[in-house]
Amino acid sequence: MSAPAATRTQGTALVLAGILLVAVNLRTAITSLGALLDEVRTGLQLSGAMAGVVTTMPTIAFAAFGALTPVLVRRFAPSRVLFVAMIALAAGEAIRVVTGSTVVFVVTSGLALAGIAVANVLLPLLVKQHFPDRVGLVTGAYTVALTAGATVAAASAVPIADAFGSWRAGLGAWTVLAAVAVLPWLPIVRRTAGARAALPAPASRIQPGRTRVGWAMALYFGTQSLSGYATMGWLAQLFRDSGYSPSTAGLLLAGVTAVGVPVALAMPTLATKLRSLRPLVLTLSVAMIASYVGLALAPHGGALFWVVLLAIGQGAFPLALVAIGLRARTAEGTVALSAFTQSTGYLIAALGPLLVGALYEATAGWTVPIALLIAAAVVQTAAGLAVARPRYVEDPAVTP
């Protein structure tokens, strides 16, 4: 292998390592806090209202800061923006575990979430730029890394806190992981130190909000995320209400993630290999709706089967991520579609846990909340079928 070829190979490997390390960090700050929320509330004397603000912040931050990312990458190279985003994540995580101020805790949590929001939008762009022939495989790999990071953080935050005698250790441990994720981007940023922004600013900028494909992507991403966040927040309670012990209910919830790992790895590759996304959209939607029907009719007797079906149905998340790259022709189109899809989608997703919780409390049962999730799945199916049509966000024909 020639020296230039070896250098390119090493550079590609470094970018891949950087992408995977970033992905591992994209939910750790959130799930570790969720696991330790009671301890944090006690330690900082958070009111119930303030605790509600903290738990709602992720989706709001993802929407707000995700929408700003295209502006940043028109001024700076994407690798530089991601580098700063990861520094913001590490700094936010570090400062919030040493403060005794509620205000500082909330502000620095927002800083960490801003870094995550920007990284959420940039990863599909970086995958398409650096791995144009391996979009499905790399998207699947970073989706698995994201899921693994979220699961490990949720499962180990409390044991770490117990081992060190403080919730601050349970949250602070993930600062180290975020700092590690900064390292691969140092040499990459140095190589692009003199580079201008990767995305030009054309006379007519791409505006996904004025296209059918943009809204189809946002609705698909938003409704599947609504289901995902509602599941994370309420599925264990549903199983407890059906007669399972708290520990078993937690294991069943973890089973959704565990079964979802191979689904997440396979889904993007299938999406890039198949001639049409329609079979995947329909298969995932049928699995999800069947799971909801089963949870409504026989949550105890068929629990394992419903968990498997739900995990398959939630393969819509990696499918949505890879579809962002498949529905854009250019780097600018990818980042614009990614920003619009995720910022709008996370606003929709924020309604999931709130509405499910309100309906559960109002009706003292799960029939109506599950009916809401089935309705969302129907909207998801319609939006997914629209996404499956072979069109692109840059095409004039997709603008109404």
Side-chain angles (χ1 to χ4, degrees):
M1 183 182 293
S2 64
T7 301
R8 284 195 299 271
T9 300
Q10 292 171 357
T12 300
L14 192 62
V15 171
L16 179 60
I19 287 173
L20 295 179
L21 281 171
V22 168
V24 169
N25 282 276
L26 290 185
R27 297 296 182 269
T28 55
I30 302 167
T31 57
S32 60
L33 177 57
L36 291 166
L37 186 59
D38 282 345
E39 290 81 357
V40 173
R41 287 183 62 183
T42 301
L44 294 177
Q45 298 182 332
L46 296 181
S47 65
M50 187 58 71
V53 169
V54 169
T55 55
T56 307
M57 280 177 64
T59 52
I60 303 301
F62 291 170
F65 291 103
L68 294 176
T69 305
V71 178
L72 295 175
V73 295
R74 280 194 289 267
R75 295 176 59 86
F76 308 101
S79 58
R80 295 171 68 85
V81 177
L82 185 61
F83 176 71
V84 174
M86 295 310 295
I87 291 176
L89 171 58
E93 287 185 311
I95 297 171
R96 75 175 183 174
V97 300
V98 298
T99 184
S101 165
T102 298
V103 173
V104 174
F105 182 88
V106 171
V107 170
T108 52
S109 292
L111 177 64
L113 292 170
I116 294 172
V118 172
N120 280 338
V121 173
L122 285 180
L123 286 191
L125 167 64
L126 290 166
V127 169
K128 187 162 186 173
Q129 280 188 329
H130 293 278
F131 306 94
D133 299 324
R134 295 288 186 272
V135 170
L137 181 61
V138 177
T139 301
Y142 91 66
T143 305
V144 170
L146 184 156
T147 303
T151 304
V152 171
S156 60
V158 173
I160 292 172
D162 290 343
F164 288 88
S166 172
W167 61 265
R168 298 179 187 276
L171 293 187
W174 311 106
T175 304
V176 177
L177 187 61
V180 171
V182 174
L183 299 180
W185 298 98
L186 277 169
I188 298 171
V189 167
R190 285 173 183 160
R191 287 203 303 267
T192 60
R196 298 178 62 90
L199 304 184
S204 178
R205 290 175 178 168
I206 297 168
Q207 296 179 299
R210 294 187 177 182
T211 68
R212 294 188 181 95
V213 70
W215 278 104
M217 280 296 315
L219 283 173
Y220 189 69
F221 187 91
T223 47
Q224 64 80 27
S225 294
L226 183 152
S227 171
Y229 278 92
T231 297
M232 284 189 287
W234 291 101
L235 185 63
Q237 184 64 50
L238 184 153
F239 283 131
R240 290 175 69 168
D241 290 350
S242 72
Y244 282 104
S245 68
S247 59
T248 303
L251 288 174
L252 286 168
L253 175 58
V256 177
T257 302
V259 177
V261 167
V263 176
L265 185 59
M267 193 56 55
T269 300
L270 289 173
T272 56
K273 297 295 184 184
L274 295 177
R275 298 182 62 182
S276 172
L277 297 180
R278 287 174 61 89
L280 291 178
V281 168
L282 291 173
T283 299
L284 299 178
S285 294
V286 168
M288 181 172 289
I289 292 172
S291 175
Y292 289 149
V293 172
L295 288 170
L297 298 178
H300 192 281
L304 287 176
F305 188 52
W306 312 139
V307 162
V308 171
L309 285 178
L310 186 58
I312 294 171
Q314 290 188 354
F317 175 62
L319 178 60
L321 289 178
V322 76
I324 292 171
L326 295 177
R327 291 297 169 256
R329 297 182 187 276
T330 62
E332 187 197 12
T334 301
V335 76
L337 184 58
S338 180
F340 181 76
T341 295
Q342 297 196 51
S343 59
T344 305
Y346 279 121
L347 284 177
I348 297 171
L351 298 174
L354 296 175
L355 290 176
V356 168
L359 292 173
Y360 172 64
E361 184 175 356
T363 63
W366 289 106
T367 301
V368 176
I370 289 175
L372 169 70
L373 294 177
I374 291 174
V378 171
V379 175
Q380 174 185 320
T381 305
L385 292 175
V387 169
R389 295 179 59 187
R391 55 189 179 183
Y392 301 88
V393 71
E394 298 92 345
D395 295 344
V398 302
T399 304

